[in-house]
Amino acid sequence: MGPASTREEEEGTLSMWVFLSARLRTWLLLAIALPLARLLVHRLAVAAERRDPSARTAKLLRRADSAVTAVSGRSPRRARR
């Protein structure tokens, strides 16, 4: 049980950290980045719609807002009531 077993243990530890890191990145994406993106797209869509509801940009932002809302799995609380 010389240097070979030490390398195997280090490799096992390294693969564990890679796994945890991937889970952490996924959690951060779902918990922080997605809600922030949803908020930003929603605000842009509302602003574009106020400016000119028939504009192509407003329609695209409205569609993007719907898509991000669907992906996040949450609809606006006001719409649920």
Side-chain angles (χ1 to χ4, degrees):
M1 299 230 190
S5 82
T6 304
R7 278 191 224 131
E8 290 174 3
E9 288 174 9
E10 287 174 0
E11 287 176 6
T13 304
L14 179 62
S15 66
M16 181 183 74
W17 283 111
V18 171
F19 175 73
L20 291 175
S21 179
R23 285 185 72 177
L24 181 60
R25 283 191 307 258
T26 302
W27 181 85
L28 287 172
L29 178 70
L30 293 174
I32 296 171
L34 192 59
L36 285 176
R38 181 175 172 242
L39 179 69
L40 178 66
V41 169
H42 178 72
R43 287 191 179 190
L44 287 172
V46 168
E49 196 167 355
R50 280 186 196 148
R51 200 167 186 200
D52 184 7
S54 62
R56 183 178 180 198
T57 306
K59 291 176 185 176
L60 287 173
L61 283 169
R62 213 175 310 125
R63 254 190 256 150
D65 184 27
S66 297
V68 173
T69 301
V71 167
S72 70
R74 299 180 190 163
S75 59
R77 290 187 178 146
R78 290 181 209 135
R80 288 182 185 173
R81 292 180 185 173

